Amino acid sequence: MGKWTRRAFITTGVLAGGVVVFGVAIRRGDRAGKVHGLVANDGDTLFDVWLKIAPDNTVTAIVPHAEMGQGAHTTLAMMLADELDADWSKVEILEAPSHAEYANYALARGFAAGDVDFPAWLVDTVDGVFFRATQAMGLQITGGSMSVKTTGQLAMRVTGAAARSALLAAAADEWQVPVAELSTGDSMVTHETSGRSATYASLAPAAAEQSLPDNPALKNADEFRIMGTSRPRNDIPPKVDGTAMFGIDAELPGMKHAAIKAAPVFGGAVARLDPASVQDMPGVRKVISLDNAVAVIADGYWQAKKALDALDVEFSDGGNSQVEQTTIFSQFASDLDSAAATGDEEVDLESGNAPAALDSASQLVEAEYRVPYLAHSPMEPMNCTAWVHDDQCELWTGTQNPLGFAKDVADALDMDLEQVTVHNQYLGGGFGRRAFSDYAVQAARLAREVPYPVKLVWSREEDTRHDHYRQASISRFSGGLDADGKPVAWHNHYVNKYDPEEAPHIPYAIDNQRIVYTASATHVPWGFWRSVDHSLHAFFTESFIDELAAAAGRDPYQYRRDLLDHAPRFRAVLDLAAEKAGWGAPLATNQGRGIAIHRSFGTIVAEVVDVEITDGELTVPRVVCAVDAGYALHPDGMAAQMESGVAYGMTAALYGEISIRGGAVAQSNFHDYPMLRMDKAPAVETHIINSGEALGGAGEPGTPPIAAALANAIYSATGVRVRELPIQQHDLTQPALRDTDAA
């Protein structure tokens, strides 16, 4: 999909599943028989497609998500095991295969329908609609902080509870006792009155013959035994001892290696190619044109890379060679101006009468913010090993969407989906980039041309220059304050809207709001980037509310707090972050403290950043983070994801800038697209609130607040207001303008 929207999920569901009529069920059906040979061994009992129980009483959670360092495999298995009352010491985890029966219907349902509690009689119909939709879309995605809150809640927990119910019923039937007299624990069913007990394994065959309930009773938080604890993650030991297999580790007999170079200018193509120019170089096997890219296959990667560098090839520019970063921002600004002048903006959110409130305000505050394109830059570059043989295509890679990759490769090779198998591996970073199948399609097309497996590895330069980028943007604000400095109007006009739709919305009690946007297309490929639109809009909105506080002469924390009377959950998170950071404590003249709060993917995160600036050099010693995701199912994992989000967001805020020159990306590697290094990384303190509200995500929400909190801290220290990222382009040597006793 080019763009995720709730409307797209619902529309596709109707098209794929037929017309939904109450009382006529479009059901998922019994799927276990279709996948048994893929996930089960002899003697295993398969419940639905998410759970199997082996004869030795081992319980295996079959997880339809990729493991890319976020710990999803462990947390999802914990959710299933807890509802099942399984013995955690005998729980194993298996990543689901790239098979249509493992399409992410739970994710689609959670994304499109949210926390809607459907009647029990309708659940299977609803699931069936979304199942057909995700099958049609080839959706087996890991992203959007949706794994736990959708698959975990709607598949793992439900399957665990349903299987437990079936096991109890099987025991009651075998022993001829009421179910109410039975109990479960550590993968056993017990009848205390008679002293009888049985393993889940012994009861599983009979239990699996029953129809599992669609809407079983789930545990309350006070009944959790595994959820809410920090069990050791299953992916850590192999990553420590080196046995973990990433996509780039794939090795097959007779395998050759490929290096690739795409047209530098987006939209370009191979215009001229002379394969003979490198055919005699050591190890070179074949030179292949892929329309917009050229690849060299050789015995080793270095041989392929050296030959590629020497290859005589020319590319066309697709008519885009005149595009520069400055022209892109000029286009954005012009389109915003034009839309504002004609009233042709697209309305995102409107309440009250913001234009009138601005006209009558005692004070008008205006600001414009800009952010650049951003690359993903995972440590493991894009790679895929492909082998086309016997009318089959096998892929070894790390992907956030195995089923989607299989579908795209099948389309590219004119195969049926059943002819393509994806052997998914650990991901060396994803952040949204590994949801795009371009590199897998390239590998498959290369492998189709030769009689042996081909491992395609992108160079770091290729990875940087042919990413799918987080969009650049301009966002303009006007705020109106009354005589007491209270905001009475909020007007925001920005360029290019993607998802989630609520990203530009604010939690503050401002009666008159108008949030609008204007489309302004460019030739730069767009992609999902960690926290998607939240990554830029949190910087925009939380910087501007800080500017309103400054204009009102108010403390930025207290100013926010006063505007959150109606939102006690937000206020609690804000208060906790401020308290733990020591907000209000005196600071030295070269120090500053900034705060920001934002809700994304159902989770509220507030972050307080401390900075020190000496001779223009910025250091960030500490970040304090408060988070409310409803309930932290794996507290250590939640804290780790907040730390990760802070580091990723700080990298972008401090250094991240992909710029376009002559229609192509100017940056190439970590020397000109730097990362946050360990010696510059702050200490991150994470404080968790278990509010009991609906579950939110963990992987994305730590990133959005950090850029604004950091920029606000810089203002606190220096009086320099950062309105354009990255921060490294700003001169921070101006003297401090604030009172040294203020925070």
Side-chain angles (χ1 to χ4, degrees):
M1 294 186 306
K3 183 177 177 182
W4 292 356
T5 65
R6 288 173 176 84
R7 184 183 299 276
F9 273 122
I10 294 169
T11 301
T12 307
V14 171
L15 293 175
V19 179
V20 181
V21 181
F22 289 109
V24 179
I26 305 168
R27 300 183 181 275
R28 288 173 293 144
D30 179 12
R31 301 181 291 149
K34 299 178 182 179
V35 300
H36 191 280
L38 297 173
V39 298
N41 301 313
D42 290 343
D44 290 349
T45 301
L46 194 60
F47 290 81
D48 198 351
V49 295
W50 311 117
L51 164 66
K52 67 175 182 177
I53 299 178
D56 66 356
N57 217 28
T58 298
V59 168
T60 299
I62 304 168
V63 176
H65 288 285
E67 180 56 71
M68 52 184 172
Q70 82 282 32
H73 279 189
T74 299
T75 303
L76 290 171
M78 288 169 58
M79 297 173 82
L80 184 149
D82 206 341
E83 293 291 352
L84 183 63
D85 278 342
D87 179 353
W88 180 251
S89 68
K90 298 196 71 175
V91 173
E92 296 183 352
I93 303 168
L94 174 67
E95 183 172 331
S98 58
H99 191 281
E101 298 302 319
Y102 285 101
N104 281 138
Y105 76 88
L107 184 147
R109 173 182 155 186
F111 182 73
D115 299 318
V116 174
D117 188 14
F118 293 100
W121 61 269
L122 190 57
V123 169
D124 201 32
T125 296
V126 171
D127 287 347
V129 169
F130 286 110
F131 181 54
R132 298 290 179 258
T134 51
Q135 282 189 316
M137 300 161 81
L139 197 69
Q140 195 182 16
I141 196 75
T142 301
S145 279
M146 300 292 282
S147 301
V148 167
K149 66 185 293 187
T150 58
T151 302
Q153 286 288 87
L154 301 175
M156 296 291 111
R157 289 189 69 186
V158 168
T159 296
R164 175 180 173 273
S165 174
L167 289 162
L168 284 168
D173 185 59
E174 180 177 330
W175 297 335
Q176 292 298 293
V177 297
V179 168
E181 294 183 5
L182 301 176
S183 62
T184 55
D186 288 335
S187 301
M188 301 283 291
V189 177
T190 300
H191 183 239
E192 291 189 8
T193 303
S194 65
R196 283 177 291 188
S197 64
T199 65
Y200 282 177
S202 66
L203 298 167
E209 292 297 320
Q210 303 180 34
S211 295
L212 298 183
D214 294 316
N215 201 20
L218 302 181
K219 292 182 177 181
N220 297 317
D222 58 6
E223 298 174 289
F224 293 167
R225 190 172 56 88
I226 299 174
M227 289 183 280
T229 66
S230 296
R231 301 300 170 107
R233 279 173 41 178
N234 77 310
D235 61 313
I236 299 300
K239 290 176 179 176
V240 172
D241 65 22
T243 59
M245 293 296 292
F246 293 83
I248 205 166
D249 295 324
E251 294 289 339
L252 297 175
M255 182 182 76
K256 307 302 178 187
H257 299 257
I260 197 163
K261 179 191 296 182
V265 179
F266 303 121
V270 177
R272 186 183 61 81
L273 174 63
D274 180 13
S277 61
V278 298
Q279 204 63 61
D280 294 333
M281 291 184 68
V284 172
R285 295 282 178 160
K286 193 164 187 174
V287 177
I288 300 175
S289 173
L290 295 179
D291 306 321
N292 69 336
V294 61
V296 176
I297 300 175
D299 292 338
Y301 174 76
W302 186 242
Q303 292 170 320
K305 177 68 167 58
K306 294 296 288 183
L308 185 66
D309 292 342
L311 184 65
D312 183 7
V313 59
E314 292 181 4
F315 297 96
S316 66
D317 63 14
N320 295 316
S321 62
Q322 301 305 310
V323 180
E324 302 288 332
Q325 192 76 4
T326 53
T327 62
I328 289 174
F329 276 108
S330 294
Q331 172 190 311
F332 288 168
S334 176
D335 287 345
L336 287 173
D337 291 341
S338 177
T342 61
D344 196 28
E345 311 105 326
E346 296 287 338
V347 175
D348 190 322
L349 181 147
E350 194 160 25
S351 63
N353 190 333
L358 285 170
D359 288 341
S360 62
S362 298
Q363 184 178 0
L364 180 66
V365 181
E366 295 181 314
E368 177 182 291
Y369 303 91
R370 297 187 176 199
V371 293
Y373 293 107
L374 293 176
H376 296 83
S377 296
M379 290 298 102
E380 180 192 13
M382 299 303 103
N383 67 87
C384 181
T385 299
W387 186 21
V388 178
H389 64 96
D390 304 317
D391 293 325
Q392 300 287 317
C393 179
E394 294 186 75
L395 304 172
W396 288 259
T397 190
T399 166
Q400 293 175 242
N401 190 8
L403 184 58
F405 273 41
K407 184 176 184 297
D408 290 349
V409 167
D411 291 344
L413 300 189
D414 196 23
M415 287 181 166
D416 293 332
L417 180 60
E418 293 74 18
Q419 294 174 274
V420 180
T421 301
V422 177
H423 305 281
N424 205 29
Q425 312 295 313
Y426 282 134
L427 283 62
F431 317 116
R433 176 61 180 96
R434 284 188 159 89
F436 292 90
S437 63
D438 47 354
Y439 58 96
V441 170
Q442 287 177 339
R445 291 181 64 191
L446 295 175
R448 182 176 56 180
E449 302 297 318
V450 295
Y452 41 75
V454 176
K455 177 190 283 189
L456 172 66
V457 178
W458 283 24
S459 65
R460 180 60 61 186
E461 289 75 15
E462 192 74 8
D463 200 43
T464 302
R465 290 173 172 162
H466 290 282
D467 202 342
H468 294 253
Y469 303 92
R470 202 286 309 271
Q471 73 267 29
S473 187
I474 295 177
S475 189
R476 294 172 174 172
F477 290 83
S478 298
L481 306 182
D482 65 15
D484 296 323
K486 181 180 178 181
V488 294
W490 177 280
H491 185 277
N492 177 205
H493 186 191
Y494 63 93
V495 65
N496 289 332
K497 181 177 183 63
Y498 292 92
D499 267 353
E501 60 186 17
E502 71 276 5
H505 303 173
I506 58 173
Y508 304 112
I510 301 175
D511 292 335
N512 304 289
Q513 297 184 35
R514 180 174 169 81
I515 303 173
V516 295
Y517 64 94
T518 296
S520 186
T522 75
H523 77 305
V524 180
W526 174 87
F528 313 109
W529 193 90
R530 192 172 191 172
S531 79
V532 219
D533 269 20
H534 290 287
S535 68
L536 52 145
H537 285 292
F539 169 66
F540 299 153
T541 58
E542 283 299 291
S543 293
F544 190 62
I545 196 71
D546 225 66
E547 296 215 40
L548 294 184
R554 296 286 309 281
D555 174 87
Y557 154 59
Q558 192 63 51
Y559 195 74
R560 287 172 170 83
R561 192 177 193 278
D562 290 345
L563 295 172
L564 292 172
D565 275 342
H566 66 294
R569 191 178 171 200
F570 271 91
R571 202 172 192 180
V573 176
L574 185 76
D575 286 347
L576 183 61
E579 174 196 342
K580 296 299 184 181
W583 190 273
L587 297 170
T589 56
N590 70 328
Q591 296 176 336
R593 183 169 290 142
I595 194 168
I597 187 169
H598 190 78
R599 176 175 179 162
S600 61
F601 306 96
T603 296
I604 303 170
V605 177
E607 291 169 358
V608 177
V609 174
D610 288 349
V611 301
E612 296 180 3
I613 300 174
T614 304
D615 298 328
E617 290 294 320
L618 172 70
T619 59
V620 184
R622 182 178 70 150
V623 174
V624 175
C625 173
V627 54
D628 178 0
Y631 189 87
L633 291 154
H634 192 294
D636 282 355
M638 176 68 72
Q641 285 305 292
M642 293 302 108
E643 294 166 5
S644 169
V646 165
Y648 201 71
M650 273 189 62
T651 286
L654 291 170
Y655 314 117
E657 182 178 23
I658 290 294
S659 53
I660 306 301
R661 296 177 194 163
V665 170
Q667 289 71 27
S668 62
N669 209 315
F670 291 136
H671 70 286
D672 55 8
Y673 193 76
M675 301 287 106
L676 181 69
R677 301 300 180 100
M678 289 180 68
D679 63 337
K680 300 293 185 182
V684 180
E685 302 172 14
T686 299
H687 303 276
I688 296 170
I689 296 175
N690 285 327
S691 64
E693 299 291 337
L695 283 185
E700 317 264 10
T703 297
I706 190 63
L710 180 56
N712 295 338
I714 290 170
Y715 177 78
S716 167
T718 66
V720 175
R721 180 64 71 179
V722 174
R723 296 192 181 98
E724 183 173 0
L725 299 178
I727 291 167
Q728 69 172 354
Q729 69 184 12
H730 294 275
D731 180 6
L732 303 181
T733 58
Q734 294 189 35
L737 302 179
R738 60 165 175 79
D739 185 331
T740 57
D741 291 331

